[in-house]
Amino acid sequence: MRLLFVVMTLFAALIAAAPRTDARSLPSSPQTATIPANEDGYDLWLRYRPVDPASRPAYAAAFASIVRHGNSPTIDAAVAELQRGALGMLGRELQVSEEDALGGAVIIGTPATSRFVASLKLPLAGLGAEGFAIRSVAMHGRVSIVIAANSDIGVLYGVFRFLQQIQTRQKLNGIDITDSPKLQVRILNHWDNLDRYVERGYAGQSLWDWQKLPGYKDPRYTDYARANASIGINGVVLTNVNANAEILKPEWLVKVRALAEVFRPYGIRVYLTARFSAPIEIGGLKTADPLDPAVAAWWKAKADEIYRVIPDFGGFLVKANSEGQPGPGDYKRSHADGANMLADAVAPHGGIVMWRAFVYSAENAEDRAKQAYADFQPLDGTFRDNVIVQVKNGAIDFQPREPFHPLFGAMPRTPLMMEFQITKEYLGFATHLAYLGPMWEEVLQSDTFRPREGVTVADTLDTPVRPGAVTGMAGVANIGTDRNWSGSQFDQANWYAFGRFAWDPDSKSDAIARDWARMTWSDDPATVGAIVAMMGGSREAVVDYMTPLGLAHLMATGHHYGPGPWVANLARPEWNPAYYHRAGKDGIGFDRTKTGSDALSQYADPLAKRWGNPETTPENLLLWFHHVPWDRKMTSGRTLWEELLAHYDRGVASVAAMQARWEEQKGRVDHRRWSEVSDFLAIQHAEAKWWRDASIAYFQSVSGRPLPAGVAAPEHDLDWYKAIDSKYAPGNGK
Ligand code: GCW
């Protein structure tokens, strides 16, 4: 009876949570039999399309039924996902039992819930609560697959990995995988406002339909949780770091609870941003001074209240004293004073505080790239154990290329977590195809030389500063209400890749791209190869046509859509592109050596030395650290001026090459997604050319240099580009 009930519930859940793309339900005609059916991208990398008939028997033999050991919503979710995979890939629904099977079963459980799993003595000891083991075992002459873990959530992660094996057509016979995450907190930061506007969002509105919560839980929340769990994401900050105190009011907390309930079976905790002035704004206090006992008591009571409503609440994320946000600095207190006060409030409940180091001030004339380090490094060792300082990958702001942030490795007594931006604020929004894996890998594999050569940024993230100390990685989400979730088909890859890097910061971006392409687009190796190649070069293309050779922050004002290198009149110096490129008759680039801002002194000596000399600075960071003459000879033999032009041209050409490659995929992937990507690439090509032409027109006006033979003149004059006004471009902060 119970078995029947389980099967029926699962079936109902499958139907409810499985939005199917339109064309698949149409009767197939001879033409549609060979052309892949249209899709809209909703299914992400969890498409579970049918395995080809030749390979199917082998999978069907080992995945013929499900044996579940364990009884929890998480195990229910694991079984539902297995069913979904079996139905999609093998074309049939499986029997679920709680008895040991004879063979050909996928058996899931923990040593605590399953005598069988316990008897196998799998190497689970070192895998923690979230790791898993997947093993094939011979039973009665047939292969069965065991997916085991120390906890139910580990089982769910194992199930997703198992399904991925089939999705990427790996052999099941002899499968032997053990894996566990290297970082504890793997979290999305949603910059979502309570009115559903998403700051830097290019994928529609916020997913959180606050007005209908808690009464209505959109099934999309479940699919969102499934997608996150499939890549190991275990935390979600629901609200914008430019925070609104209202979210902490009781009437909002019940809405937060509703989301927490949907996410819980998938191992995802919710977190909120804490507006530092909340005690004044919603608490009726006169101050938010962190050292005022009434303020600390208010936060403590607020934390107690939140945990009464959401017992597994994760904690707070805070942006303080930056870009107009309130903070402890308003009371002449330090970041540690502020963070510790909040940390004390959540500590009794096991919560954490993620305190952002993205801090620069209007009153500080110092190089913006130096300010976070100057504020935070001296505070090393003064934070509570449950504080983790969240540091952007670079010292300025999510640019297409930045050297790694000098704080990594420089605060050995303070947990530091990485903040990447998945949403492409500075890399062409949703329409530019830019796979961020190579950028993240570049940052994570950078050698910090702290405390010695060979210690990479990834090492600093996944080595706890003391036993048990918190570790983590945050990604600013690119997710919204668009049917394809991320605003473009290819931006799904950035969500996916973020999860994979958060799970293992030593991951390789190419391998991630391959898995993603295989699961998202096609089984055909030629198509997968073409897609992986497009992705692999795509970020460098953006660097080339926007900010080559170490240039940064040349985007138009506010919305950051399109070029604005000429902008020099904004109130704060560091808001102006001209502040960053410093181009003049004599040359271009920001001198961050001793003769300039000396930002280099914030890096370990060997690096400061290497990057302090233009001759030993990688050319792709040259203008980040040096102001150099237009005539400087580059390794190519060209002058800097010519090299700059060559990069702009190369960027535009790379997009054209992507277009040509994509054209070849026509008919090899479904037409609907194909044509969306094709149209977006055309937009990207036009905008790459816009960037190139506007940048050349501007820098030529400054350098006074002629264009060498073979370099096309910009299509319009500089004034034409300056006159472009995109005030309604999406995502601007409000
Ligand atoms: O990159 C900048 C964005 C702001 C953002 C800020 C931050 C949420 O332009 O929109 O604010 O970074 O990271 O706090």
Side-chain angles (χ1 to χ4, degrees), residues 191 199-200 202 240-243 319 322-323 325 356 358-360 368 392 396-399 419 421 425-426 476 553 558-560 731-734:
W191 287 355
E199 184 158 347
R200 310 310 173 184
Y202 314 106
N240 192 350
V241 289
N242 289 331
K319 170 176 178 178
S322 179
E323 299 185 334
Q325 291 300 299
R356 295 176 90 224
F358 177 69
V359 163
Y360 63 99
R368 174 171 160 189
K392 287 189 182 182
I396 297 286
D397 195 1
F398 297 139
Q399 296 303 298
E419 179 176 324
Q421 190 179 45
E425 173 182 0
Y426 295 101
V476 180
H553 223 303
H559 47 67
H560 301 147
N732 210 349
K734 324 197 256 193

Side-chain angles (χ1 to χ4, degrees), residues 459-488:
D459 295 332
T460 69
L461 296 177
D462 64 28
T463 314
V465 296
R466 52 184 175 271
V470 56
T471 58
M473 186 184 288
V476 180
N478 65 348
I479 300 158
T481 50
D482 275 11
R483 185 71 191 156
N484 65 23
W485 301 87
S486 300
S488 85

Side-chain angles (χ1 to χ4, degrees), residues 404 444-460 462-463 506 604 606-607 610:
F404 74 88
L444 291 164
Q445 295 309 319
S446 296
D447 194 339
T448 65
F449 288 86
R450 281 180 166 139
R452 75 194 93 78
E453 186 172 358
V455 179
T456 62
V457 171
D459 295 332
T460 69
D462 64 28
T463 314
D506 282 320
L607 262 188
R610 183 182 297 172

